[in-house]
Amino acid sequence: RKEVEQDPGPFNVPEGATVAFNCTYSNSASQSFFWYRQDCRKEPKLLMSVYSSGNEDGRFTAQLNRASQYISLLIRDSKLSDSATYLCVVKPFWGYQKVTFGTGTKLQVIP
Amino acid sequence: GAGVSQSPSNKVTEKGKDVELRCDPISGHTALYWYRQSLGQGLEFLIYFQGNSAPDKSGLPSDRFSAERTGGSVSTLTIQRTQQEDSAVYLCASSLGPEGRSPLANTGELFFGEGSRLTVL
């Protein structure tokens, strides 16, 4: 089983739609979780951290389910500019920084 | 600029040649990572440096790959006797380093360079 698994998509959604991605992780000792965004032929950039209590940043909501070992990203009112690949990121231990990226979920927002 | 700098941005080489890729991390960042991304694929972890600790080389795909980090700053990834399957974008990232137990003390965000695109003919 891969350390971090994501549905590669693509998810094709109309503008204004709500879309959600899940990401599962295999190491129950994982402590830190993030969503990164990668535009085509660009480097990944941090979108948001994922906290145990869940967190929201504008149209984006991230949640963590430790019991089922997955994190989710919800995007409301999708914009054309949201089209990108969304990468799930997991760190296993406090203080130990090996970072594992999922293969990413591709989102295409259609006019 | 204050970001992660990588060079060369593009490298075309012949099969069997050696290549060196350079990464200059953000000043003050103690952690440095190398990843590889093939076309349409995810990020493949290669190696991780943290301060003066022994690097985590568990992701290096073969003994043709090696990396060093001099003076805790600039890093060089070397690929010997390149093969066509080595063609990919090689991404370097840096971060502040080990975070404390509070998740808010240090987000641990990785800052990526723009990558070095390697093409092996």
Side-chain angles (χ1 to χ4, degrees), chain A residues 22-84:
Chain A
N22 278 351
C23 164
T24 59
Y25 59 94
S26 60
N27 187 345
S28 60
S30 298
Q31 296 288 352
S32 303
F33 309 90
F34 308 86
W35 284 101
Y36 275 67
R37 169 189 171 134
Q38 186 174 26
D39 292 298
C40 187
R41 291 182 171 268
K42 296 288 188 180
E43 72 275 19
K45 293 184 179 178
L46 180 67
L47 177 66
M48 59 196 303
S49 302
V50 185
Y51 302 131
S52 296
S53 56
N55 49 301
E56 188 174 309
D57 183 2
R59 298 181 293 108
F60 298 83
T61 301
Q63 292 195 312
L64 167 64
N65 185 317
R66 285 193 184 275
S68 300
Q69 294 183 209
Y70 75 85
I71 66 172
S72 64
L73 177 67
L74 181 78
I75 306 175
R76 291 181 297 278
D77 188 23
S78 300
K79 311 292 185 190
L80 294 177
S81 57
D82 294 334
S83 298

Side-chain angles (χ1 to χ4, degrees), chain B residues 18-94:
Chain B
D18 297 352
V19 296
E20 282 191 355
L21 308 176
R22 175 189 168 105
C23 173
D24 202 339
I26 293 173
S27 178
H29 281 193
T30 61
L32 186 147
Y33 307 76
W34 283 99
Y35 290 87
R36 176 169 73 173
Q37 188 171 33
S38 301
L39 188 62
Q41 302 298 310
L43 273 69
E44 177 187 3
F45 168 77
L46 297 177
I47 188 169
Y48 155 61
F49 296 90
Q50 173 53 59
N52 295 321
S53 301
D56 180 345
K57 304 180 181 180
S58 60
L60 294 179
S62 77
D63 59 8
R64 295 187 296 105
F65 288 73
S66 63
E68 62 177 21
R69 188 179 185 191
T70 54
S73 180
V74 172
S75 178
T76 301
L77 177 69
T78 301
I79 309 173
Q80 296 179 309
R81 304 180 302 281
T82 52
Q83 304 294 313
Q84 288 183 330
E85 60 262 30
D86 299 335
S87 296
V89 176
Y90 289 80
L91 289 160
C92 175
S94 70

